[in-house]
Amino acid sequence: MVDVVSSEAGIPRPDHPLEQSSGAKWFLPAFGVLVLAGLVYVGYALSQDLAIAKTVPWILLGIALLIALGFEFVNGFHDTANAVATVIYTRSLPAEFAVMWSGVFNFLGVLTSSGAVAFGILSLLPVELILQVGSSSGFAMVFALLVAAILWNLGTWFLGLPASSSHTMVGSIIGVGLANQFMAPAGSATSGVEWGQASNVGMSLLVSPLVGFFVAALLLYVMKLLVRNPALYQAPKGNTPPPWWIRALLIFTCTGVSFAHGSNDGQKGMGLIMLILIGVVPTAYALNRTPDVNYLDAYKAASVSVEQALGKYIKPGITVADAKAAVQEAVRSKSWNDQTTVALQTYIHNTTAGLQPYATVDKVPTDLVSNARNDIYLIGEALKLIDKKKLLPMQDADLKAVTDYHKAVDNATKFIPLWVKIAVALALGLGTMVGWKRIVVTVGEKIGKSHLTYGQGAAAELVAMITIGMADRLGLPVSTTHVLSSGVAGTMAANGSGLQWATVRNLLLAWVLTLPCSIALAFALFVIFRQVF
């Protein structure tokens, strides 16, 4: 579809905010230089990482990375431009400069993100698929996830539906999990979808737009009671910028939403790229090779502590023939028995013994790296049955040993190289540059029946900034599109401005259809790709 500047909502086209030029002729050249510098760094850092790999399937790696970055590029169509709609329509910043400003803080948000959202998303996947990510089923999983998400995002963008990339990704993951379970031979051990984590993620995605609507409406009411300046609640007049203090508030909220969006949404692509790297070149990325020098020693100490803690709960006379198989079954079935305690203690002991001769991860032979990661990851999943599910009652001191082990596992397996963050940030920025006008027009003109006021823009973006920021801290994905657009709708309802129900209907339609449609797409693609790989 072509970006069209609408003249709805009573805005005369000659005075339309999207028609204003910032005069920044250097904008595109500067952006081009930034992209080029980022690509050079990404290429250099990737080549340095791959120098330790024995063999690199370059074609497969290249295709997978392009598709993963393509997902973030399309994500830019849907989400990033939401942050700039209010500053553009309130004349706080010229359109081109606003996009550039937002892009900078999206970039910073991605770079400073914790990674909690990235690995929270991946924890929805069946454990055995993560452990087998370098196998044919693992490749089928990754490509089905990415292609399903891109197809749905592109389709909804073409139809003008403001869909959520977060909903799409979660739906794709659930679809892959269901397909994996459906295709598993009868009686085989497959865990399917991690429904406990899926319910937490699904709840955050469903509740956050409601929070955006009602809290933004309430905030606007409070602002009207406490800040009795009529200019704050009036539409901009002509091309004149708002008073300096209003302008500062709007630029601040735009900055906050941009930063929060980068730190939350950018992590979805990071998690998928790490899954690709672990599967395609495990010798380089299966274990974190860039932590502090005491990292492996800390892991060994945590392993010994949890091994000793488990020993207190072992009953006499219990033996296990295959410790790893027993632990895998416990993780698959989310169950615990006396044999599981013995098996987990034995498995931890054997894994630690295998790493004992090596002082740092760099000293671990490349042939052992992938297996070591899988062992560590599986032990971590088994211990969640103790401290999260409470399937083995433990004293507080022993539970602390389990918690310390989880921290050591996270240091070993949950890491994101800087070049991955930079690549994702560039993909998000490029996507925003291509599709920003369509989303800006929808948020600025097509939700309410009247022009967006300064107070409405500030209330909607302040709520979105806080909501997305809190979700990032909790490791939960939320939809920037839905949180901000529902916030704008809430302020329109609170202001008595009226809503354009055709747009609201489309928002609700996308909200309802995205999960089932992305589940179905990923399910079908996983079945197809299993025949290809």
Side-chain angles (χ1 to χ4, degrees), residues 133-153:
V133 70
S135 66
S136 59
S137 58
F139 290 134
M141 168 191 68
V142 171
F143 282 100
L145 282 177
L146 291 169
V147 174
I150 290 173
L151 286 177
W152 180 252
N153 278 346

Side-chain angles (χ1 to χ4, degrees), residues 17-282:
L18 297 187
E19 293 297 305
Q20 288 183 287
S21 174
S22 65
K25 303 296 184 184
W26 47 267
F27 173 70
L28 287 178
F31 187 79
V33 170
L34 178 65
V35 171
L36 182 61
L39 291 175
V40 169
Y41 173 77
V42 168
Y44 171 78
L46 180 60
S47 65
Q48 292 294 107
D49 286 349
L50 297 181
I52 63 171
K54 286 188 172 181
T55 58
V56 180
W58 290 103
I59 295 178
L60 182 62
L61 177 62
I63 293 173
L65 288 179
L66 282 176
I67 295 176
L69 293 173
F71 166 74
E72 286 299 337
F73 178 81
V74 176
N75 187 5
F77 290 177
H78 286 275
D79 292 3
T80 313
N82 286 281
V84 300
T86 53
V87 291
I88 292 174
Y89 273 84
T90 56
R91 319 281 180 168
S92 299
L93 288 175
E96 288 182 350
F97 186 82
V99 172
M100 179 189 68
W101 182 267
S102 177
V104 169
F105 283 93
N106 264 284
F107 186 86
L108 293 175
V110 172
L111 291 185
T112 57
S113 59
S114 64
V117 173
F119 295 106
I121 283 283
L122 293 185
S123 65
L124 293 172
L125 288 164
V127 172
E128 71 271 8
L129 281 184
I130 295 178
L131 297 179
Q132 300 167 12
V133 70
S135 66
S136 59
S137 58
F139 290 134
M141 168 191 68
V142 171
F143 282 100
L145 282 177
L146 291 169
V147 174
I150 290 173
L151 286 177
W152 180 252
N153 278 346
L154 283 177
T156 52
W157 176 80
F158 182 78
L159 295 173
L161 290 173
S164 162
S165 298
S166 301
H167 280 76
T168 305
M169 181 52 60
V170 171
S172 299
I173 288 174
I174 292 174
V176 164
L178 291 174
N180 179 62
Q181 201 166 21
F182 173 75
M183 296 184 69
S188 64
T190 178
S191 56
V193 178
E194 178 52 70
W195 289 111
Q197 179 69 5
S199 63
N200 292 336
V201 171
M203 188 60 66
S204 71
L205 289 171
L206 291 173
V207 169
S208 54
L210 300 177
V211 171
F213 183 93
F214 289 107
V215 176
L218 179 62
L219 180 58
L220 186 65
Y221 275 127
V222 173
M223 288 171 63
K224 286 185 173 182
L225 289 174
L226 300 179
V227 186
R228 297 181 178 274
N229 187 325
L232 190 60
Y233 313 108
Q234 295 175 358
K237 300 192 182 337
N239 296 328
T240 307
W244 70 268
W245 64 275
I246 298 176
R247 192 176 190 183
L249 175 63
L250 289 164
I251 293 174
F252 170 74
T253 54
C254 165
T255 303
V257 171
S258 301
F259 184 87
H261 174 266
S263 67
N264 192 280
D265 272 46
Q267 293 192 54
K268 302 174 183 74
M270 292 181 206
L272 291 172
I273 288 175
M274 289 310 300
L275 205 59
I276 290 166
L277 294 173
I278 291 167
V280 177
V281 277

